Amino acid sequence: MLLDIRLISVAEYHSMGELGILNPDEKVELLAGQIVKKAMKGTRHTSTNKRIEKVLENLLGDRVLVRTQDPIRLDNYSEPEPDVALVVPNLSFYADHHPTPSEVYLIIEIADTTLRQDCEYKAKLYAQAGIEDYWVLDINNRQLYVFRLPSPEGYLSRQVLSDGEVISPLAFPDIKVSISDFL
């Protein structure tokens, strides 16, 4: 039996916050029209997030704006808050809108308890939105999942790199990042 589900739009999601229906401290994000609870962030996750931010800022400087755990508007029904997003620099720091897929160079999710969700569910959402470069850092197994070539069905390319290997963001092939630097 198929249920007739009503999806929540980004505008409605924001209204729910403004009206106090959603508590400002509530750890949720809007994915495919559904309000989804975010996983708790432990110390390893938090320190890894800060380490990635600093590594990318040091390598790329003013060529990007590094956003951490801030919203990205994929479409009218999805506004995830990825752990790290490299976006096009904006003089207002996106005061008038959240970055959209055309303004995103790279999204990185850090997985300690969310590997399956990040590699399957979120990967499909990001691919459908046209995010060209999506990485999932598995901090438990010290691996980086690299997703590229987005399509409506998901990413057509998936690669797994181990601790010690090196990668370049698609938008910045001149930059080399060691997986070890993130861990």
Side-chain angles (χ1 to χ4, degrees):
M1 173 175 141
L2 292 176
L3 299 176
D4 191 17
I5 297 173
R6 184 197 183 283
L7 302 179
I8 297 168
S9 72
V10 170
E12 291 167 328
Y13 177 67
H14 285 262
S15 292
M16 291 170 81
E18 292 164 6
L19 294 170
I21 296 168
L22 292 175
N23 183 318
D25 297 328
E26 217 166 339
K27 304 292 185 204
V28 295
E29 58 189 342
L30 184 66
L31 302 176
Q34 298 179 24
I35 299 171
V36 178
K37 288 184 181 181
K38 294 172 65 172
M40 295 294 294
K41 299 191 181 341
T43 56
R44 283 181 60 214
H45 186 285
T46 304
S47 65
T48 300
N49 201 81
K50 185 55 75 176
R51 188 174 301 111
I52 292 171
E53 177 186 10
K54 291 301 177 189
V55 165
L56 294 173
E57 284 176 345
N58 288 337
L59 288 171
L60 292 163
D62 292 337
R63 295 167 67 183
V64 300
L65 177 61
V66 180
R67 293 170 52 101
T68 60
Q69 301 174 0
D70 293 328
I72 301 292
R73 184 172 178 163
L74 297 181
D75 57 31
N76 287 334
Y77 294 97
S78 292
E79 195 172 87
E81 297 178 9
D83 291 313
V84 178
L86 294 185
V87 300
V88 174
N90 178 299
L91 293 176
S92 73
F93 293 91
Y94 294 93
D96 59 344
H97 72 284
H98 293 308
T100 59
S102 66
E103 298 167 306
V104 174
Y105 294 123
L106 169 67
I107 288 180
I108 303 172
E109 294 284 5
I110 300 165
D112 48 0
T113 61
T114 59
L115 184 62
R116 184 172 179 200
Q117 177 182 333
D118 292 338
C119 288
E120 294 175 13
Y121 186 71
K122 282 192 174 180
K124 188 167 186 177
L125 286 177
Y126 289 138
Q128 289 171 337
I131 300 297
E132 297 286 332
D133 209 2
Y134 171 52
W135 301 354
V136 177
L137 184 64
D138 176 357
I139 60 176
N140 295 321
N141 296 305
R142 302 181 67 85
Q143 295 178 317
L144 181 70
Y145 291 77
V146 178
F147 297 88
R148 292 178 169 164
L149 300 174
S151 79
E153 293 78 38
Y155 285 98
L156 302 177
S157 172
R158 176 182 159 177
Q159 181 181 13
V160 182
L161 302 176
S162 298
D163 190 359
E165 292 190 68
V166 175
I167 187 168
S168 298
L170 280 177
F172 304 99
D174 57 312
I175 300 301
K176 304 290 183 218
V177 180
S178 171
I179 310 311
S180 301
D181 291 343
F182 286 168
L183 298 165

